[in-house]
Amino acid sequence: FPSHDKSKQINKTVIKQLLDKEAKRMIARGLHTSSNLIVEDPKVLANLSGSKGLRRWAKTYFAYRLQVLGKENGVLVVFTHPAYTSISCPKCKSKDKENRKKLLFHCVKCGHKDHADINGAVNLSLKGQEQVDKFILTSFLKKLNARPVKALSEIHIAEKQH
């Protein structure tokens, strides 16, 4: 059935164009607001249950496209593992399966309520920002440790002599 394969390819091309357009819009927004973009790790997206064929491809394509465009435009795109983001409360940090009931997030500990998808996105963003902060701190500490230890010991010797 060559005609079926051809129409499938045309659909994939149209979806790819739409995803490219949306990725460019997201990168432009990141540039305009000086924001990092936090997205679910594409390796996790590719393995989600219920995500087959074209949908799986589209999710991973979009994430990787954001990464490429981010590098080209100076916008940091962070891939974050989504574990527990849908059942965690961003207010009190409680993790409980009972917090989520279909599309409603309602924290059993503090009472925080939100749409479950919004709550998951907020948690993913917080988790991604923690990754960025750790990276920055680690890079900064590595630069500090790059100084020779001899220089620090000379400071201590100079202090003792005074």
Side-chain angles (χ1 to χ4, degrees):
F1 295 88
S3 63
H4 176 69
D5 289 341
K6 189 172 183 177
S7 67
K8 193 174 180 181
Q9 186 60 39
I10 290 170
N11 286 340
K12 197 171 183 178
T13 301
V14 169
I15 291 169
K16 190 175 179 181
Q17 289 170 348
L18 292 170
L19 292 172
D20 284 343
K21 184 177 180 181
E22 186 61 21
K24 288 175 184 175
R25 190 180 73 76
M26 294 299 297
I27 294 298
R29 185 173 182 188
L31 278 170
H32 180 71
T33 60
S34 300
S35 300
N36 302 321
L37 297 180
I38 313 294
V39 295
E40 285 189 27
D41 189 326
K43 291 176 186 171
V44 175
L45 286 171
N47 293 320
L48 289 176
S49 62
S51 185
K52 297 188 185 215
L54 193 59
R55 285 193 329 217
R56 179 184 300 174
W57 169 83
K59 290 174 183 177
T60 56
Y61 176 83
F62 183 70
Y64 285 120
R65 190 68 183 132
L66 279 174
Q67 185 181 46
V68 168
L69 291 172
K71 283 181 182 177
E72 289 174 358
N73 292 281
V75 174
L76 181 62
V77 177
V78 180
F79 293 156
T80 303
H81 196 289
Y84 307 109
T85 55
S86 66
I87 62 168
S88 298
C89 179
K91 303 292 182 191
C92 72
K93 308 300 182 215
S94 163
K95 284 182 199 163
D96 193 318
K97 289 180 183 178
E98 295 300 313
N99 286 344
R100 182 172 181 164
K101 302 286 188 211
K102 298 189 180 187
L103 294 179
L104 176 66
F105 179 89
H106 184 193
C107 180
V108 294
K109 185 175 179 185
C110 75
H112 171 70
K113 290 183 181 179
D114 208 340
H115 186 286
D117 292 340
I118 300 293
N119 187 77
V122 167
N123 282 325
L124 190 75
S125 177
L126 292 170
K127 197 173 182 180
Q129 193 55 51
E130 284 176 16
Q131 285 178 258
V132 171
D133 294 346
K134 284 180 186 174
F135 174 77
I136 291 170
L137 181 61
T138 302
S139 298
F140 178 73
L141 291 175
K142 281 181 181 177
K143 286 181 181 177
L144 285 179
N145 289 336
R147 293 182 184 170
V149 177
K150 182 178 176 185
L152 293 174
S153 62
E154 288 173 356
I155 292 170
H156 291 294
I157 292 169
E159 286 176 357
K160 288 179 183 177
Q161 290 177 348
H162 286 46

